[in-house]
Amino acid sequence: MTAPEIAILGVGMHPWGKWGRNFVEYGVVAARAALDDAGVEWHDIQFVSGADTMRNGYPGYVSGATFAQALGWQGAQVASSYAACASGATALSAARAQILAGLCDVALVVGADTTPKGFLAPNKGERGDDPDWLRFRLLGATNPTYFALYARRRMELHGATQRDFAKVKVKNARHGLHNPYARYRKEVSEADVMASPVVSEPLRLLDICATSDGAAALVVSSMEFARSRAAGKPVRVAAISTVTPRYPNTVIEMPNFSTDSGAGAALPELSFRDSIAAKAYEEAGMGPDDLDLAEVYDLSTALELDWYENIGLCKPGEAEKLLNDGDTTIGGRVPVNASGGLACFGEAVPAQALAQVCEIAWHLRAQAGDRQVEGARVGLTVNQGLFGHGSSVILTV
Amino acid sequence: MKQQVPAIDGWFTDDAEGPRLIGSRGVETGSYFFPRALAVSANPAAPTERREDVLLSRRGTVWSFTTNHYQPPEPYMSPDPFEPYSVLAVELAEEQMVVLGQLAAGVDPSTLTIGMEVELVFEPLFEDDDYAYMTWRWRPV
């Protein structure tokens, strides 16, 4: 069943970095930029949808209200969503539901984060019933530990090499070179990656994304509202997927100690990661061949290669060839992470899925500057986070 | 020798036959679950099925592995100075599931390969003045 569409009237971001300021400041900057871009006044926003941060206390858990207050209370209805790395897409989904239900015409979606230095760590305290706490205590299983397990598996199954992984970083670094919102804007060579210290074998420091401060925001509306406001055809949201896994999920996922057991149930037709984009394609009535570009969640360089297969750009085991043939480089068949990806941004959890949407929107409006994917008409975002979250958004124009 | 106490209660046993992880099995579907305490999952075909405690297979094969070269944040109890450590994902054949665990002390991680057979051992994870806090680990057979 294809879903009815909503319009993206405006997009805005605060540059990614390690700025050390309150996340609310970044969110307000991104929100004002999106409002300006949309030509919509703050007092006209009827619904504020916040993507939560878990690392900034109570204001982070009620981010929708936090941003609404910081922009100046004006009576809008509010919601706040947390879905790990998919939080931004879930907040967008909440706004879409309000709009498609006819409960509001125009909504503001905002996600922002301030991150500590180093590894993402669990919340403090002795919490022996929280798998996210226990995985650090009992195993030292950091996030890169899981990325490395996938990467080693990819090397074993598909013959990927550390040099292939390095090439992903080289590509993304080049893509992000002129992106004003990216944190890292510097050419990186294969030799640089190979010379960087090993974090979790086989992954090195430059294979793994950092954590960053940043913010992204969208102004979205009904198609009718968009037609009444703007000249020309707006970018449209054709699909939002926020699916959960199907039992049994036999791939080890953060923050779990084990997979589901395949002993008592037939394996699902699609793996969880495959199912995330599949649902978006179904909603949009499209397939991988329709894509002009994609923004995928390169938590590690190796994971970007997995995503090529998970979103159907190629068959399992062919991602290295796709990369090495230049198909996923700007100018290639279907550029991936034209923004520079997490390799150039670092992860600002609640803002990241929205930043992916901002990037696609700029390309579909031919406003992506030096990194523009020429003639882009359809783009897909995809990500996955812990606790069974994932999201994919398809935009079209 | 310090008194040995489990680093977490109810996740494993150390009986005469050697250490085993304690999981549970749904009596209707035969699905396995580990750890029991966190109730991490359910088979949607029988979400309310009764579960019986079972000892998971002591041996499995390596699905994947990694060695960490940076000190993780708390609550990881790092030796001082920090030492690199390895984490294995091990596939259990009968349970058709993958279970994580650290690599046993003294094993050279460069000898690890995917598909290698490993077995569960019982080792101290960290110690304080009075106790050795014990955990499960995987050691090549």
Side-chain angles (χ1 to χ4, degrees), chain A residues 83-380:
Chain A
C85 301
S87 298
T90 300
L92 174 60
S93 177
R96 181 177 72 160
Q98 291 280 321
I99 291 165
L100 293 181
L103 298 174
C104 82
D105 301 310
V106 57
L108 174 68
V109 186
V110 191
D113 208 1
T114 300
T115 53
K117 195 173 171 345
F119 289 114
L120 286 179
N123 289 328
K124 298 280 184 204
E126 287 274 329
R127 292 199 322 286
D129 57 357
D130 176 355
D132 195 42
W133 188 87
L134 286 167
R135 66 170 165 131
F136 282 87
R137 167 57 63 94
L138 297 175
L139 300 173
T142 56
N143 292 3
T145 301
Y146 291 81
F147 310 155
L149 293 174
Y150 305 143
R152 172 75 66 189
R153 187 83 187 155
R154 182 161 191 94
M155 292 169 78
E156 175 77 10
L157 287 185
H158 302 312
T161 64
Q162 286 170 298
R163 201 159 285 280
D164 292 322
F165 301 158
K167 284 178 185 164
V168 173
K169 177 71 173 188
V170 172
K171 169 185 74 74
N172 287 344
R174 201 164 292 153
H175 283 177
L177 211 48
H178 302 294
N179 187 339
Y181 298 101
R183 174 176 171 191
Y184 303 104
R185 280 173 279 169
K186 192 168 151 270
E187 288 256 17
V188 173
S189 69
E190 270 178 59
D192 292 335
V193 181
M194 299 301 275
S196 67
V198 173
V199 176
S200 297
E201 282 180 42
L203 299 176
R204 297 171 183 278
L205 191 61
L206 292 183
D207 287 305
I208 295 169
C209 89
T211 61
S212 292
D213 299 359
L218 310 172
V219 174
V220 291
S221 77
S222 65
M223 293 306 299
E224 192 180 10
F225 184 91
R227 278 190 286 270
S228 75
R229 298 289 289 223
K233 293 171 75 174
V235 171
R236 308 188 306 277
V237 177
I240 305 172
S241 162
T242 59
V243 292
T244 49
R246 284 178 192 276
Y247 189 89
N249 182 2
T250 53
V251 175
I252 187 74
E253 308 260 6
M254 293 186 289
N256 296 340
F257 285 81
S258 73
T259 64
D260 291 336
S261 155
L267 292 183
E269 198 177 322
L270 297 177
S271 74
F272 177 45
R273 243 184 254 146
D274 286 346
S275 73
I276 297 169
K279 173 65 178 170
Y281 287 132
E282 182 196 338
E283 248 192 39
M286 295 182 186
D289 291 344
D290 294 308
L291 298 187
D292 297 309
L293 77 163
E295 288 283 308
V296 310
Y297 224 57
D298 56 322
L299 292 164
S300 80
T301 50
L303 204 55
E304 174 165 321
L305 297 171
D306 288 340
W307 282 121
Y308 294 177
E309 298 162 8
N310 298 134
I311 68 173
L313 298 184
C314 63
K315 294 197 184 82
E318 294 180 354
E320 288 76 14
K321 182 174 183 338
L322 206 67
L323 171 77
N324 289 318
D325 288 352
D327 285 19
T328 57
T329 304
I330 293 173
R333 181 168 67 82
V334 52
V336 173
N337 286 337
S339 66
L342 295 176
C344 292
F345 276 75
E347 189 184 18
V349 174
Q352 211 67 47
L354 294 172
Q356 291 182 311
V357 171
C358 290
E359 178 69 11
I360 300 280
W362 278 316
H363 285 275
L364 301 192
R365 302 195 313 200
Q367 293 175 346
D370 291 339
R371 61 185 192 283
Q372 178 67 41
V373 174
E374 293 302 328
R377 301 187 61 81
V378 178
L380 171 142

